[in-house]
Amino acid sequence: MILLTMIARVADGLPLAASMQEDEQSGRDLQHYQSQAKQLCRKLNAQSPNRCTLEAGVMSFHYVIEHGVCYLALCEAVFPKKLVFGYLEVLQTEFNEQHGKKVPTVSRPYSFIEFDVYIQKTKKNYIDSRARRNLGSINTELQDVQRIMVANIEEVLQRGEALSALDTKASDLSSLSKKYRSDAKYLNTRSIYAKIAAGAVFFITLIVYMRFWWI
Amino acid sequence: MPTESLIGYGAPVCVDSGSDQDGYLQGCTQVKCCPRSLYSLVNCPNFPPQLSAGPAQLSPSLSGLSLQSQTPEALRVVNLLQERNLLPLGPVTPPTPCLPQDLQKINCHPEVFRSTLTSIPQTQSLLNKAKLPLGLLLHPFKDLSQLPVVTSSTIVRCRSCRTYINPFVTFLDQRRWKCNLCYRVNDVPEEFMYNPVSRSYGEPHKRPEVQNATLEFIAPSEYMLRPPQPAVYLIVLDVSHNAVETGYLDVVCQSLLENINALPGDSRTKIGFITFDSTIHFYNLQEGLSQPQMLIVSDIEDIFLPTPDSLLVNLNECKELVQDLLRSLPQMFGKTMETQCALGPALQAAFKLLSATGGRVSVFQTQLPSLGVGALKSREDPNQRASAKDIQHLSPATDFYKKLALDCSGQQVAVDLFLLSSQYCDLASLGCISRYSAGSVYYYPSYHQQHNPAGVECFQKDLKRYLTRKIGFEAVMRIRCSKGLSIHTFHGNFFVRSTDLLSLPNVNPDAGFAVQMSIEENLVDMQSVSFQAALLYTSSKGERRIRVHTMCLPVVNSLSDIFAGADVQAITCLLASMAVDRSVTASLSDARDAMTNASIDSLTSFRTSVLTIQQPGLLAPACLRLFPLYILALLKQKAFRTGTSTRLDDRVFAMCQLKYQPLAYVMLMIHPALYRVDDLTDEGALNVSERTIPQPRVQQLSVEKLSRDGAFLMDAGSVIYLWIGRNCNPNFLTQVLGLPNYAAVPLNMNMLPELDTAESQRTRAFVGWLREQRPFFPILHVIRDESPLKASFLQNMIEDRTESALSYYEFLLHIQQQVSK
């Protein structure tokens, strides 16, 4: 099931078109994913990988970046990846053809909201299992789908936070290792003392033994 | 207009004019006096009667010394008992706030934003002393011919109170501006320094945002919780036997067929249909079907959607199927014998269908719902209509409709109700579905295809306007006002989501709103205060827009200035809304008394606190001279009248309209305009786009003004009457009506023939011009003495005495009695 589709300009994250699959069950918690999708579009930049799957709990975000436009879809994690990327690919071709030239100049959000009609139709084809069989031709082009990078949505959204977490963890680690070092030193000296003490006891017994036995 | 000052006359004229109207005086005692007033009063016993002796306060005495030039026209003292003809020649114009010229020039248009007092009192105690209500009247989504639209990535707003930048802010320097509502100093963003209109840099005060009091912003994506919704329309039709009998289905389907391409929307527009009698019928209109499929759900206890995906379809792609359905629908139920009607479950189904997207539900209902949830029982006893002491059943019988409306509001669904019926339908209960979901209510009493052709035409025209007018979806409106003022009560159709946020699932250009205000903190050392209404909505083209109106008003500290700035029409409309609330929460007689007291109290206050020299008579400032007349008109209005047989639904509908209609239409409802039209001339005519429109003067609403040898046109807002006198000028009959003589005037004539004569052209130009003034289509009734509609024409003659109500003169005497007590 493709729950949410969003098309945005990569340069500034401006949403260009969107489509929401809303029904009574999913409608409630979709708001959360909607805002995640918005955030994600703002985080993406020219350096981001062109194709990526981001895991978000039971859902996954899949996106394709082409000609400075990001095509993003939200599906259940179990939904075949191949199909989603096939779907995004189709959207990309059609959108680029219809509106590609106008993308850099628009300033109003959702300027191409009418593209929604096409999105919904395409989506129906991909969701309907009977229609899926006819899409074999498109799917073959996506043999390399297995190589698409997989990451976690939290990681991408909170990449900044993750780094600082790593930093604190590292400093924690170094302080811990310092403590370990001093503890080890202490243990070492203790064991040396113990060895010396053991040797001394041995020699004393030996002397005492020799003295009383041999004499 | 002749301006006579009182001092010059001085004689107790009221006795003279009273003597020849002895018959009137008997009626005076009927009016009860009740000390309650509509607005709560704070006692301030030690308040000095006069605050300051400004020049305005000396006005009566000065005018006596023929120094009238110093008196503002609004404060000219009028003795209402003496001056009979108070109506201005043309329409009543709203007062202009006393602001510096340059500010007033850009102030918000009074048709959009109006205050009951154009001069805001400095303190609450001063306001209490004036005994006038303080409030705002808004028409925020009015169709405007000129509206600046601003697209910018950042919308400049105050950081603490979120006010939009507006013409009344002050720029401290090029980099900082001071908010006119909370007085916080904000930075001017870099982007704002550039003026896109003049393409120059460094002139923030010349930006369109600072030059226009009314403008629209294209909202950036921060203003959207979800992608803008498409335009979604759902038509819910009653198809029980009673409904088919009225023949309304033909009209609805025909109108939809004609206007299907004019429905506001884009390529995403969706449409769906539900019909209901004792069961609910859905229509599968999925692309690819050869004809529409009807799906019947008979389990009305637990309603479900048979095929959720294909009931709401894309209008452009499935247009042929939709047209098919509309063509066949009227015949489909031709032979139905089902008399029951399950409106409640049908509404639940509609809510389920639209809850995913939001949108507009149009419900057509012809009888009392009798099955399933929300079933109602008749609560009206027709025999009690005229005699009942107090009107019962003005409040809803069940809270089902209100609850459902609130659910709808949460999912951005608005429900518009069209009630076409001949019997009692309990509009008081049904109306809740529209009231809380920000819909509108239309009511066509005694609707029938054959028996009521005028009603059919009116329904057709209204439907055309309804289907094609502008619409805004998923809207919210917030009204802000300067620090010190606070808004406490809202009137109109909406749901108040948080303290000051109105949730409007739909907003239409014919909706008006009113708010009541109080002064929380003293407005000392403030020259002016501002009010801002911001309406955020999604247009039918999927754009998120914000329409912002800002109004600035001066602050005054003397009672005479407050009276000078009183806007009598706005006061009347606000009082009407308050009185509707009062009749529902308390009783109708309470509301009537409160309205009478409002006029008595304000005139008493004027007499005791503003006038320095006491004279006999009933004295009012010129700006309030129409106040008693309007109050009397309200008391005789369908909503509030007693003694006359009024159907409960008619009354409740009138109440809905008083609360929901914008000021201009409410005023015509309350006080219709009467013109003499048999002698129209081009003298003083208006010239509008090369048409000459004669401007006859407005007559008083009294039978005394009608003469048998004339023809009179009464414009009552939603209806226009043309009364033909028995000895009417034969020239008028032949040249305008195309009839040989008076006897030939048909009883149900609803239009003027297009004759090629100067008289006909003038009359038609005038009627056409009146119709252009409003978005709905008023029906023209040509009536003569024998016409059945003559009674409703004469009921509008509010200055005359009726069996159960006072004449204007009696009413004035009653007020005078109370004022001079």
Side-chain angles (χ1 to χ4, degrees), chain A residues 47-109:
Chain A
Q47 280 79 49
S48 306
N50 274 349
R51 275 146 205 271
C52 190
T53 295
L54 303 166
E55 287 163 354
V58 290
M59 301 284 181
S60 292
F61 284 100
H62 307 271
Y63 75 79
V64 169
I65 297 179
E66 209 73 60
H67 304 294
V69 179
C70 166
Y71 303 83
L72 178 78
L74 174 75
C75 318
E76 285 137 357
V78 291
F79 194 79
K81 234 177 174 186
K82 225 185 204 178
L83 276 180
V84 189
F85 279 99
Y87 162 72
L88 290 177
E89 210 54 47
V90 171
L91 290 189
Q92 186 264 318
T93 324
E94 180 68 22
F95 187 82
N96 199 33
E97 197 169 295
Q98 280 190 23
H99 308 293
K101 289 199 186 93
K102 285 173 269 172
V103 167
T105 54
V106 293
S107 60
R108 184 166 66 80

Side-chain angles (χ1 to χ4, degrees), chain B residues 366-377:
Chain B
T366 62
Q367 57 174 321
L368 206 60
S370 56
L371 267 188
V373 279
L376 297 168
K377 289 194 178 62

Side-chain angles (χ1 to χ4, degrees), chain A residues 4 13-15 18-24 28 31 34 38 42 107-110 113-117 120-121 124, chain B residues 151 218-222 224-228 266-268 270 286-287 305 314 317 352 355-357 411 541-543:
Chain A
L4 175 77
L14 182 82
S19 174
M20 257 168 119
Q21 174 70 41
E22 284 169 283
D23 55 58
E24 282 166 72
R28 306 279 172 275
Q31 207 71 62
Q34 166 79 25
K38 253 192 199 173
R42 242 170 269 148
S107 60
R108 184 166 66 80
Y110 299 105
I113 190 75
E114 292 188 53
F115 193 67
D116 180 21
V117 179
Q120 289 198 9
K121 259 196 222 155
K124 219 166 260 171
Chain B
T151 318
I218 305 281
S221 63
E222 293 88 68
M224 308 173 190
L225 279 176
R226 56 175 190 177
D266 53 13
S267 63
R268 298 195 300 154
K270 287 183 171 182
Q286 194 54 42
E287 214 181 347
L305 302 178
N314 187 304
E317 284 162 10
K352 276 206 167 141
S355 60
T357 48
Q411 297 296 325
K541 302 260 183 278
E543 286 174 350

Side-chain angles (χ1 to χ4, degrees), chain B residues 421-495:
Chain B
S421 81
S422 41
Q423 302 130 15
Y424 174 68
C425 271
D426 201 350
L427 185 58
S429 303
L430 292 184
C432 287
I433 190 77
S434 299
R435 179 164 170 206
Y436 295 100
S437 68
S440 34
V441 178
Y442 293 82
Y443 176 53
Y444 304 89
S446 335
Y447 183 88
H448 196 277
Q449 201 162 26
Q450 267 111 45
H451 307 156
N452 187 359
V456 173
E457 193 191 351
C458 186
F459 180 49
Q460 267 171 342
K461 302 274 187 190
D462 280 356
L463 212 52
K464 182 176 158 62
R465 162 78 185 164
Y466 172 76
L467 292 172
T468 54
R469 73 185 175 191
K470 205 176 145 121
I471 182 169
F473 295 96
E474 44 184 3
V476 287
M477 182 164 77
R478 201 188 287 273
I479 303 167
R480 296 181 172 86
C481 45
S482 284
K483 208 163 90 183
L485 293 164
S486 82
I487 293 170
H488 58 81
T489 311
F490 299 86
H491 301 277
N493 288 0
F494 49 75
F495 172 60

Side-chain angles (χ1 to χ4, degrees), chain B residues 238-488:
Chain B
D238 179 3
V239 292
S240 60
H241 177 71
N242 188 44
V244 175
E245 185 56 31
T246 61
Y248 88 91
L249 276 176
D250 279 318
V251 177
V252 173
C253 292
Q254 198 54 43
S255 290
L256 268 168
L257 276 173
E258 279 165 17
N259 297 307
I260 202 149
N261 293 320
L263 282 176
D266 53 13
S267 63
R268 298 195 300 154
T269 309
K270 287 183 171 182
I271 195 163
F273 294 87
I274 292 178
T275 57
F276 65 98
D277 42 30
S278 62
T279 55
I280 315 290
H281 323 134
F282 295 92
Y283 296 87
N284 183 350
L285 300 166
Q286 194 54 42
E287 214 181 347
L289 288 176
S290 58
Q291 61 175 39
Q293 238 175 27
M294 181 163 152
L295 305 154
I296 300 178
V297 174
S298 53
D299 181 11
I300 56 167
E301 295 303 317
D302 182 22
I303 205 80
F304 64 93
L305 302 178
T307 53
D309 291 342
S310 47
L311 301 177
L312 216 51
V313 294
N314 187 304
L315 179 60
N316 290 327
E317 284 162 10
C318 307
K319 195 172 274 171
E320 278 171 22
L321 274 179
V322 170
Q323 284 169 332
D324 253 17
L325 176 67
L326 287 173
R327 271 190 283 269
S328 55
L329 203 58
Q331 281 82 48
M332 264 153 72
F333 299 95
K335 293 193 180 68
T336 184
M337 295 311 283
E338 186 56 67
T339 54
Q340 303 273 51
C341 135
L343 175 68
L347 287 173
Q348 283 178 328
F351 167 64
K352 276 206 167 141
L353 194 51
L354 287 196
S355 60
T357 48
R360 180 174 82 184
V361 181
S362 318
V363 182
F364 295 82
Q365 169 72 10
T366 62
Q367 57 174 321
L368 206 60
S370 56
L371 267 188
V373 279
L376 297 168
K377 289 194 178 62
S378 178
R379 299 191 287 168
E380 189 189 33
D381 181 0
N383 303 323
Q384 294 282 305
R385 273 184 204 147
S387 56
K389 271 266 167 276
D390 219 339
I391 310 298
Q392 302 292 311
H393 307 308
L394 289 172
S395 48
T398 161
D399 62 353
F400 167 76
Y401 294 99
K402 180 177 176 179
K403 277 186 177 157
L404 187 61
L406 295 185
D407 288 342
C408 286
S409 175
Q411 297 296 325
Q412 308 294 355
V413 177
V415 184
D416 293 333
L417 181 66
F418 288 81
L419 204 56
L420 309 114
S421 81
S422 41
Q423 302 130 15
Y424 174 68
C425 271
D426 201 350
L427 185 58
S429 303
L430 292 184
C432 287
I433 190 77
S434 299
R435 179 164 170 206
Y436 295 100
S437 68
S440 34
V441 178
Y442 293 82
Y443 176 53
Y444 304 89
S446 335
Y447 183 88
H448 196 277
Q449 201 162 26
Q450 267 111 45
H451 307 156
N452 187 359
V456 173
E457 193 191 351
C458 186
F459 180 49
Q460 267 171 342
K461 302 274 187 190
D462 280 356
L463 212 52
K464 182 176 158 62
R465 162 78 185 164
Y466 172 76
L467 292 172
T468 54
R469 73 185 175 191
K470 205 176 145 121
I471 182 169
F473 295 96
E474 44 184 3
V476 287
M477 182 164 77
R478 201 188 287 273
I479 303 167
R480 296 181 172 86
C481 45
S482 284
K483 208 163 90 183
L485 293 164
S486 82
I487 293 170
H488 58 81

